[in-house]
C-alpha cells in the first residue's frame, strides 16, 4: 500500500537530498541486507549495530570485537552477519538471538571478508600482508584454505632470466580485495599491483589473470545479476567491466575476455575515491571522494556524471546503495555519523482519496448515466449492510516488486528486541534534567569489555595506592 501511494517517488532512480542522520558510536563501515530492511554498521570500538530502516532505530547491538570493524557481509537469508575487524578476527553472528555463531582467528588484520552467496558457512577473506584465505566452517572446527595471489602465466617457454624476473614480481603480489561470483563457484580477487584474478573455488587455483590498472585495487563490487564488475583502485580511476558467464558448462579459461566498459574519473580536480558502489539496478555508479565532502553519481549508459550530492561538510568513507530503492547511505570519517540520502517525496493529496484526481487545468467532466440517479432509501441501506458483511483481510502482505522477496518461501524476520537500553541509538546530546541537555563527550557511552577492563584496572590502582599509603604511615 505504501508503495502505491508513492509511485511518483519511485520513478526517481537516484537520491537527491539527505533525509536522515543516525548515529551510534563512530561508524567505519556499512552494509544493507539483501531485502533492504536492515542496515549493519561497524564501529571503531568493535561493536556491530543493526539498524531497522523503517523506524531508524537500533534493532541489535553485537559485541565481540575489540578493534575497528573493517568489513561486513550478510547471508542470503538475512539471518547471519559476518563481521571482520583489525583485531585479526572474523565473527559470524546469528541474528535470531544475537549470539556469536562461529569465530575465526587469523594472523593479521583483515581487509575484507565476503560470505558465500548460497552457503553462510563459507567465506573468503583478504588479509593484510598474507595470502587470501577460503574458510569452511561446515564442520565443528573451521578449515582454512590458502588461495594464490600470483597471476597465471601463459608464457611457459620463456628463458630462465624472464622466469626469475616473473618469480620476483609474483612474490610481491598481495591480494587486497576479494568477492564471490554470483554462483559461488569462483572468487574474484584484486592485488596490490593492479592485477585481477579469477580463482576456481573448488580447485583453489587461478584460472585467469589480467592487469586491469596500475595501482592497488581497493574495492570490488558486483551488480545483482553478477555480470558487471566495479573496480576502485588508487590510480584515481573507477572502472566497470563486463564479466563472462562463469557458470557456463563449456567455460574455457583460455578464451575468457573481460571487456572494459567505462572509466569514471575527475579529470579537472584529479580526486581519489574512498569507496564505490553500484545502484540497485546497476544503472548508476556512486563514489565518495578523498578529502572532499561530495558524493558523485554517474550513469553507465553514456558514462556521464548526473549528480553531485551535497552533504555535510565532512569527508565520507564507506558508501552503500539500497538494494531496491533510491537510497544511499554513507558514514562520515570525522564524526562517524551515518547519513542517508533519498528522494524527497512530493505531496500527493489525491493519494488520500482514491476517487479524487489532480488535474493541471480544467477538464470537461462527462457524467455517467446512472451517476446521479435517486435510489430508494431501503436499497441504499441494503447495499451498505452487504458491504459491511464482507470479510476484509488485514493480515496478508502483498508482495512488492522484489522488496519482500523471501528466500525459499520463508524469509527470516529478526525478533523484536524488548530491552529498551539496547535499542536506543547514541545521540550527540544527553538529557541532564527536564529541558536541559549537554553535548556527549568523546569517550562517554562506550560499552563492552573495554569498559569492564578499565573498571578493573582502576580498582587495582586504588587498592595499590591505599596499600602504599599504609606502609608510609
Amino acid at each position: 500500500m505504501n508503495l502505491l501511494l508513492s509511485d511518483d517517488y519511485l520513478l526517481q532512480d537516484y537520491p537527491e537530498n539527505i533525509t536522515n542522520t543516525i548515529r551510534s558510536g563512530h561508524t567505519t563501515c556499512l552494509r544493507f541486507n539483501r531485502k533492504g530492511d536492515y542496515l549493519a554498521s561497524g564501529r571503531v570500538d568493535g561493536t556491530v549495530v543493526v539498524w531497522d530502516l523503517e523506524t531508524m532505530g537500533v534493532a541489535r547491538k553485537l559485541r565481540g570485537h575489540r578493534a575497528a570493524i573493517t568489513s561486513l557481509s550478510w547471508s542470503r537469508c538475512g539471518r547471519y552477519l559476518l563481521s571482520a575487524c583489525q583485531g585479526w578476527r572474523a565473527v559470524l553472528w546469528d541474528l535470531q538471538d544475537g549470539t556469536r555463531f562461529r569465530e575465526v582467528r587469523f594472523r593479521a588484520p583483515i581487509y575484507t571478508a565476503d560470505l558465500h552467496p548460497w552457503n553462510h558457512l563459507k567465506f573468503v577473506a583478504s588479509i593484510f600482508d598474507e595470502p587470501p584465505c577460503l574458510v569452511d566452517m561446515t564442520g565443528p572446527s573451521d578449515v582454512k584454505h590458502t588461495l594464490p595471489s600470483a597471476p597465471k602465466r601463459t608464457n611457459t617457454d620463456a628463458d630462465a632470466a624472464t622466469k626469475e624476473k616473473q618469480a620476483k614480481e609474483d612474490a610481491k603480489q598481495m591480494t587486497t580485495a576479494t568477492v564471490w561470483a554470483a554462483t559461488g563457484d569462483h572468487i574474484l580477487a584484486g592485488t596490490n599491483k593492479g592485477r585481477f584474478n579469477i580463482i576456481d573455488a573448488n580447485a583453489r587455483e587461478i584460472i585467469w589473470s589480467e592487469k586491469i590498472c596500475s595501482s592497488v585495487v581497493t574495492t570490488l563490487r558486483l551488480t545483482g545479476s553478477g555480470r558487471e564488475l566495479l573496480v576502485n583502485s588508487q590510480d584515481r580511476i573507477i572502472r566497470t567491466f563486463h564479466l563472462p558467464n562463469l557458470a557456463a558448462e563449456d567455460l574455457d579459461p583460455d578464451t575468457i575476455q573481460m571487456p572494459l566498459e567505462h572509466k569514471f574519473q575527475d579529470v579537472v580536480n584529479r580526486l581519489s575515491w574512498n569507496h564505490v558502489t553500484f545502484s540497485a539496478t546497476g544503472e548508476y555508479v556512486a563514489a565518495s571522494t578523498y578529502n572532499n565532502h561530495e558524493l558523485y553519481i554517474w550513469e553507465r549508459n553514456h558514462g556521464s556524471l548526473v549528480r553531485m550530492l551535497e552533504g555535510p561538510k565532512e569527508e565520507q568513507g564507506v558508501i552503500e546503495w539500497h538494494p531496491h530503492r533510491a537510497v544511499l547511505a554513507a558514514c562520515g570519517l570525522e564524526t562517524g555519523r551515518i547519513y542517508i540520502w533519498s528522494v524527497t517525496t512530493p505531496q500527493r493529496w489525491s493519494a488520500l482519496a482514491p476517487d479524487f484526481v489532480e488535474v493541471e487545468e480544467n477538464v470537461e467532466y462527462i457524467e455517467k448515466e446512472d451517476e446521479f440517479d435517486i435510489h430508494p432509501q431501503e436499497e441504499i441501506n441494503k447495499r451498505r449492510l452487504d458491504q459491511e458483511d464482507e470479510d476484509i483481510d488485514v493480515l496478508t502482505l502483498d508482495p512488492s516488486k522484489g522488496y519482500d522477496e523471501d528466500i525459499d518461501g520463508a524469509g527470516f524476520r529478526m525478533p523484536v528486541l524488548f530491552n529498551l537500553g539496547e535499542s536506543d541509538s547514541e545521540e550527540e546530546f544527553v538529557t541532564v534534567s527536564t529541558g536541559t541537555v549537554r553535548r556527549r563527550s568523546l569517550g562517554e557511552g562506550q560499552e563492552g569489555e573495554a569498559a569492564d577492563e578499565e573498571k578493573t584496572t582502576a580498582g587495582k590502582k586504588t587498592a595499590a595506592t591505599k596499600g602504599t599509603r599504609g606502609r608510609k604511615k
Side-chain angles (χ1 to χ4, degrees):
M1 177 181 175
N2 293 334
L3 292 180
L4 293 176
L5 295 179
S6 55
D7 282 340
D8 293 342
Y9 157 68
L10 292 178
L11 294 177
Q12 183 74 35
D13 292 333
Y14 53 87
E16 293 180 334
N17 303 305
I18 290 182
T19 54
N20 281 293
T21 302
I22 53 180
R23 180 178 183 267
S24 178
H26 195 290
T27 302
T28 56
C29 61
L30 303 168
R31 203 66 183 268
F32 286 101
N33 69 335
R34 181 178 173 81
K35 288 176 59 178
D37 51 353
Y38 292 108
L39 173 66
S41 65
R43 303 193 327 197
V44 171
D45 60 356
T47 304
V48 178
V49 181
V50 180
W51 298 86
D52 185 349
L53 293 182
E54 291 295 327
T55 62
M56 290 300 170
V58 176
R60 278 281 187 274
K61 281 186 181 179
L62 311 172
R63 298 180 177 88
H65 296 281
R66 297 190 180 184
I69 305 296
T70 57
S71 177
L72 293 167
S73 179
W74 289 84
S75 65
R76 190 175 186 85
C77 62
R79 174 173 175 176
Y80 299 96
L81 177 65
L82 178 69
S83 60
C85 71
Q86 294 179 355
W88 308 7
R89 288 194 296 179
V91 177
L92 182 65
W93 303 92
D94 185 358
L95 298 182
Q96 181 69 34
D97 50 8
T99 58
R100 276 181 273 189
F101 187 70
R102 296 294 288 270
E103 182 176 335
V104 181
R105 294 177 180 269
F106 295 91
R107 296 187 298 177
I110 304 167
Y111 284 132
T112 61
D114 191 42
L115 273 178
H116 191 281
W118 301 95
N119 185 0
H120 66 273
L121 296 177
K122 287 184 179 180
F123 72 91
V124 61
S126 54
I127 309 167
F128 175 75
D129 216 13
E130 292 278 336
C133 191
L134 173 61
V135 182
D136 188 354
M137 300 178 291
T138 307
S141 58
D142 53 271
V143 180
K144 300 176 185 175
H145 303 286
T146 302
L147 301 176
S149 294
K152 182 181 179 181
R153 299 292 185 180
T154 56
N155 53 348
T156 55
D157 300 333
D159 55 4
T162 306
K163 288 185 177 180
E164 183 179 356
K165 181 181 178 181
Q166 290 178 353
K168 290 182 179 178
E169 292 178 355
D170 294 348
K172 298 177 182 179
Q173 296 278 352
M174 300 302 300
T175 299
T176 55
T178 52
V179 66
W180 286 95
T183 58
D185 296 327
H186 296 86
I187 298 169
L188 313 178
T191 69
N192 60 341
K193 301 297 182 182
R195 282 198 168 269
F196 177 76
N197 300 325
I198 299 179
I199 305 173
D200 190 330
N202 298 320
R204 295 188 292 279
E205 61 182 16
I206 296 176
I207 62 173
W208 187 81
S209 179
E210 184 177 343
K211 190 175 181 66
I212 59 174
C213 60
S214 59
S215 186
V216 180
V217 176
T218 58
T219 311
L220 296 176
R221 299 304 292 268
L222 291 172
T223 56
S225 63
R227 297 303 300 272
E228 286 82 27
L229 175 69
L230 180 63
V231 179
N232 182 30
S233 60
Q234 290 185 357
D235 61 358
R236 305 181 182 185
I237 300 177
I238 302 170
R239 297 170 175 86
T240 55
F241 296 88
H242 288 292
L243 279 179
N245 185 13
L246 299 176
E249 296 181 358
D250 56 347
L251 179 67
D252 185 4
D254 297 331
T255 61
I256 290 178
Q257 292 184 350
M258 197 175 71
L260 174 66
E261 183 191 39
H262 288 299
K263 287 184 178 181
F264 302 107
Q265 58 183 323
D266 190 329
V267 182
V268 178
N269 299 320
R270 296 292 296 166
L271 294 174
S272 297
W273 314 103
N274 289 334
H275 199 260
V276 294
T277 184
F278 271 124
S279 67
T281 58
E283 298 177 2
Y284 297 91
V285 171
S288 58
T289 53
Y290 175 72
N291 272 344
N292 198 349
H293 62 274
E294 293 175 334
L295 301 183
Y296 283 58
I297 298 179
W298 298 271
E299 57 93 18
R300 286 179 49 218
N301 289 333
H302 303 91
S304 58
L305 180 68
V306 296
R307 189 78 178 181
M308 292 174 60
L309 296 180
E310 293 284 347
K313 302 300 180 183
E314 69 168 318
E315 182 182 349
Q316 303 298 314
V318 175
I319 178 175
E320 288 290 332
W321 200 300
H322 193 279
H324 306 293
R325 297 178 179 175
V327 175
L328 202 60
C331 56
L333 293 183
E334 298 176 9
T335 62
R337 287 190 182 89
I338 301 172
Y339 301 97
I340 297 178
W341 282 262
S342 62
V343 183
T344 305
T345 310
Q347 291 184 347
R348 292 184 57 209
W349 298 102
S350 60
L352 303 177
D355 298 334
F356 183 77
V357 179
E358 296 180 7
V359 293
E360 297 294 334
E361 56 185 12
N362 293 335
V363 177
E364 184 178 355
Y365 180 73
I366 301 175
E367 65 178 78
K368 299 176 184 179
E369 184 178 353
D370 59 345
E371 185 173 1
F372 296 104
D373 292 351
I374 301 175
H375 298 281
Q377 188 66 30
E378 294 80 6
E379 185 177 349
I380 296 176
N381 293 336
K382 185 177 182 301
R383 289 180 183 176
R384 189 179 73 250
L385 292 175
D386 291 341
Q387 291 177 354
E388 291 178 356
D389 291 339
E390 293 180 2
D391 294 331
I392 301 175
D393 186 6
V394 296
L395 299 177
T396 305
L397 296 175
D398 294 332
S400 57
K401 308 169 187 176
Y403 180 66
D404 289 325
E405 178 186 358
D406 290 337
I407 311 302
D408 297 332
F412 169 74
R413 301 206 177 265
M414 191 181 302
V416 178
L417 190 65
F418 291 102
N419 188 349
L420 296 180
E422 293 287 329
S423 64
D424 289 340
S425 60
E426 299 170 12
E427 300 296 338
E428 182 180 5
F429 297 96
V430 185
T431 303
V432 178
S433 61
T434 305
T436 306
V437 296
R438 64 174 174 82
R439 189 180 295 274
R440 183 187 296 272
S441 60
L442 291 177
E444 185 178 354
Q446 292 184 350
E447 301 157 316
E449 300 172 358
D452 297 337
E453 291 178 0
E454 291 178 1
K455 291 180 181 179
T456 306
T457 307
K460 290 181 180 178
K461 287 182 179 179
T462 305
T465 306
K466 289 181 179 179
T468 306
R469 290 176 180 175
R471 285 195 296 271
K472 284 183 179 180
K473 289 180 181 179

